[in-house]
Amino acid sequence: MTSDVPFRAPEEAPFLARHANGTLLRLAAGGLLPARWFAPPPPSDRAARRGALSLEVVSHCWQYSRFLAYQLSALAQFPPQKLRVKMTVFYAQEDTQTQALLDFFAQKAVPNVEWNWQALPKAALFRRGIGRNLAARATKADWIWFTDCDVMFRAGCLDTLAEQLQGRTEALLFPREERATPLLSEDDPVLMRSAAGPALVDVDDQNFTTRRIDRATGPMQITHGDVARACGYCPTLRLYQQPADHFCKAYEDRAFRWLLGTQGVGIDVPNVYRLRHATKGRYRAGSTSGQLRGAIRRAKSWLSERLTAPRAR
């Protein structure tokens, strides 16, 4: 259940050149330089499509099958009625647990959902901009949602999205709120349940609180299909199309919005759920820096939750 989207990695630049280029790109994307110096603006002529729309959802997964299980299960348990969905997952075949999960769901026929598994070389998977660019260029959907595998679209989410997308032409949209867990440890029962083996799983929504979103972020970028096909995902920023030896922090997400010239337009979409976790996939297992980053992430989350006091539903 794969497509023949071609992939050819550019030659990797030396470490110091990559570091300097990365710093420059982050400064540029922060507004230091005009985006037009790096890429043409998105097309202004965009179809205002109505009726039965199509959506491609794009995820990446590296050793996160315990999260991806919830994303795919939500599509199987709450299939959309007003929207056709192509669920694209980029993964590496070395990740045998993810491969087993994808094989499990490939056998499940879900109304209005098409499974699309895209195997990449591991080094290409580790730079998320590569897969997103491939998907953006190749998509035939009316809209494409770039997301993470820890996001779930539960009851009514995608059908409401279908209503919100009618006749719209904005380059980039995002849901105004999500329902999220506290940071989950690796031995949390939620993750232990999905790690037991491929299966349909669901969550207890009492463990989630509502969090407001004020701009498009990496997992919450809903892009017009015409824009995705024309612009890709940072294809002119060479660094963000180069393979890596570990899962990279996704600086290209901010650069993508900079190139589009927008932080996105908020829309009301219910039941977008997210499993938050203390240990990021890009943290190297057992490393001192990974443990330190995890501790900092937990401390920042603890402080944020107490300062913002999110309301429970």
Side-chain angles (χ1 to χ4, degrees):
M1 194 167 296
T2 61
S3 68
D4 56 355
V5 178
F7 167 71
R8 182 181 178 185
E11 183 178 349
E12 188 171 5
F15 172 79
L16 289 178
R18 296 200 311 273
H19 183 74
N21 192 21
T23 301
L24 173 62
L25 286 177
R26 290 195 294 275
L27 290 172
L32 181 66
L33 298 174
R36 66 178 182 276
W37 289 8
F38 295 81
S44 56
D45 184 16
R46 306 164 198 156
R49 297 183 177 90
R50 295 183 177 274
L53 302 179
S54 59
L55 172 75
E56 182 167 0
V57 177
V58 179
S59 275
H60 276 63
C61 187
W62 170 251
Q63 297 183 347
Y64 265 23
S65 60
R66 57 202 183 280
F67 297 96
L68 182 63
Y70 283 100
Q71 183 172 77
L72 301 183
S73 292
L75 278 174
Q77 292 165 335
F78 310 107
Q81 304 298 313
K82 303 176 182 178
L83 190 70
R84 289 177 287 110
V85 174
K86 182 176 186 178
M87 181 69 230
T88 296
V89 178
F90 287 98
Y91 73 105
Q93 292 176 334
E94 296 94 322
D95 184 353
T96 55
Q97 290 181 319
T98 295
Q99 181 72 74
L101 181 72
L102 297 178
D103 291 344
F104 172 79
F105 276 95
Q107 304 305 312
K108 295 194 173 298
V110 180
N112 295 318
V113 175
E114 174 190 353
W115 305 126
N116 179 38
W117 314 146
Q118 293 288 328
L120 284 178
K122 186 168 62 173
L125 183 74
F126 289 165
R127 183 78 70 177
R128 196 173 63 180
I130 292 174
R132 288 189 170 189
N133 184 55
L134 290 172
R137 292 297 202 186
T139 192
K140 295 179 173 58
D142 298 320
W143 294 83
I144 183 169
W145 188 330
F146 298 109
T147 193
D148 291 340
C149 63
D150 52 11
V151 174
M152 293 172 281
F153 312 102
R154 301 188 77 237
C157 171
L158 295 177
D159 284 335
T160 301
L161 176 64
E163 297 169 357
Q164 291 278 6
L165 294 179
Q166 296 296 314
R168 302 195 78 125
T169 60
E170 293 94 338
L172 184 65
L173 306 172
F174 64 90
R176 286 197 177 98
E177 68 177 36
E178 66 177 4
R179 300 203 64 207
T181 63
L183 290 181
L184 303 177
S185 63
E186 287 300 302
D187 60 355
D188 189 275
V190 171
L191 301 185
M192 296 294 287
R193 186 184 315 131
S194 58
L200 285 172
V201 290
D202 199 7
V203 292
D204 179 356
D205 63 5
Q206 298 303 311
N207 297 326
F208 293 73
T209 55
T210 298
R211 297 163 61 95
R212 298 291 295 178
I213 302 173
D214 59 7
R215 67 186 186 284
T217 59
M220 303 294 177
Q221 295 184 139
I222 307 168
T223 307
H224 195 288
D226 292 343
V227 172
R229 285 181 284 273
C231 298
Y233 205 91
C234 305
T236 60
L237 305 182
R238 183 180 175 86
L239 176 64
Y240 297 150
Q241 301 302 320
Q242 289 181 335
D245 61 1
H246 64 283
F247 214 106
C248 298
K249 186 174 176 63
Y251 291 116
E252 60 265 39
D253 296 340
R254 186 184 188 192
F256 176 65
R257 299 188 292 273
W258 167 62
L259 293 177
L260 294 188
T262 178
Q263 293 299 309
V265 176
I267 56 176
D268 294 321
V269 181
N271 292 335
V272 179
Y273 282 65
R274 186 162 62 94
L275 297 167
R276 299 174 64 237
H277 38 103
T279 305
K280 289 282 191 179
R282 64 177 181 272
Y283 299 165
R284 302 194 190 207
S287 69
T288 301
S289 62
Q291 293 173 359
L292 178 60
R293 288 175 177 177
I296 293 172
R297 179 170 165 79
R298 287 189 291 270
K300 289 172 66 177
S301 176
W302 181 89
L303 181 61
S304 174
E305 288 169 4
R306 279 148 185 79
L307 289 177
T308 57
R311 68 184 189 278
R313 279 189 176 176

